[in-house]
Amino acid sequence: EAFIQQYPKSVVLIDALELEMAAWQTVGDSKQVMKAAKHLLAADSGNIRALGIVVSLDRLSAAQGDNAALNEMCVDASGGMLEVPMWRQPADMSGTEYVTLSKLLNDIFIGAEGYCAVQQKNYSQARDWLTRAYVMDPTNVQDTYQLAVADLESMPFDAGGFWYCARAIHLAQSAAIPQDASSMVAYCKAKY
């Protein structure tokens, strides 16, 4: 932070911002991670890793009722979807790391698109996005639960949503997030 403040026009500004973002991630301070990621995006609008972090953190805030975060996430997720296919492997990244990160970023943006569609009550579009996200990562609690919601809120509803409910509850319990599991149980039982 001190370097960035002292040398805001440095040729290594982007590297410094990426290191700052990584340091805050290591510490686990999501507010500072978000601040660093947004600063990085302001300096390098095509930084797909920072965009993925912003979308992930905005999704968490949106799930807690933050409408501004929801709106920002929906816009950023659409932009991220366009960026992933054009993103090229950085010189300092191995091929395996590049493939892994590309898949993760795709999953983040596709899952966020699905979440946006659920919030907009466009359940058929949400099911398309979230099914793709589920195929990429069947252990993602958020995407699995949102897929259940999309299935069960559709008219006519898709009874397969109950399977996704059970799967999401199991994933939440396995990940030791009992508050999420209990809210999922309440929703799924009510729909049943």
Side-chain angles (χ1 to χ4, degrees):
E1 283 183 336
F3 177 84
I4 292 165
Q5 288 175 356
Q6 190 167 358
Y7 304 104
K9 303 285 186 199
S10 171
V11 294
V12 293
L13 176 65
I14 303 302
D15 295 333
L17 289 167
E18 285 181 346
L19 289 171
E20 178 190 11
M21 188 174 65
W24 285 118
Q25 281 180 297
T26 302
V27 172
D29 188 332
S30 60
K31 286 185 181 183
Q32 291 298 329
V33 171
M34 178 65 97
K35 181 180 167 188
K38 285 186 175 185
H39 193 175
L40 180 54
L41 283 171
D44 178 14
S45 62
N47 192 305
I48 195 162
R49 291 180 276 191
L51 187 60
I53 288 169
V54 168
V55 168
S56 293
L57 293 175
D58 275 344
R59 186 170 179 182
L60 292 174
S61 296
Q64 296 171 357
D66 184 341
N67 286 330
L70 175 65
N71 293 334
E72 181 179 50
M73 179 198 68
C74 292
V75 169
D76 288 345
S78 294
M81 294 277 302
L82 298 173
E83 291 287 329
V84 171
M86 295 185 300
W87 185 49
R88 297 295 166 241
Q89 181 177 340
D92 62 340
M93 185 180 288
S94 74
T96 304
E97 290 173 324
Y98 173 72
V99 168
T100 301
L101 187 55
S102 293
K103 286 180 182 178
L104 175 64
L105 290 168
N106 247 336
D107 186 39
I108 288 169
F109 298 134
I110 290 171
E113 285 282 353
Y115 183 77
C116 291
V118 167
Q119 296 306 305
Q120 296 162 355
K121 299 185 184 332
N122 184 348
Y123 299 117
S124 65
Q125 184 66 51
R127 287 193 328 211
D128 291 345
W129 288 118
L130 292 164
T131 299
R132 287 178 57 194
Y134 181 81
V135 168
M136 282 188 250
D137 182 6
T139 64
N140 185 306
V141 177
Q142 290 177 319
D143 291 343
T144 305
Y145 181 64
Q146 291 302 314
L147 182 53
V149 170
D151 280 349
L152 297 176
E153 295 296 329
S154 295
M155 289 297 174
F157 81 94
D158 182 344
F162 292 116
W163 186 90
Y164 290 110
C165 270
R167 175 82 176 141
I169 292 165
H170 171 75
L171 290 170
Q173 290 169 338
S174 297
I177 41 179
Q179 68 281 8
D180 287 357
S182 63
S183 67
M184 290 174 193
V185 167
Y187 171 81
C188 296
K189 279 186 177 180
K191 290 307 284 186
Y192 184 72

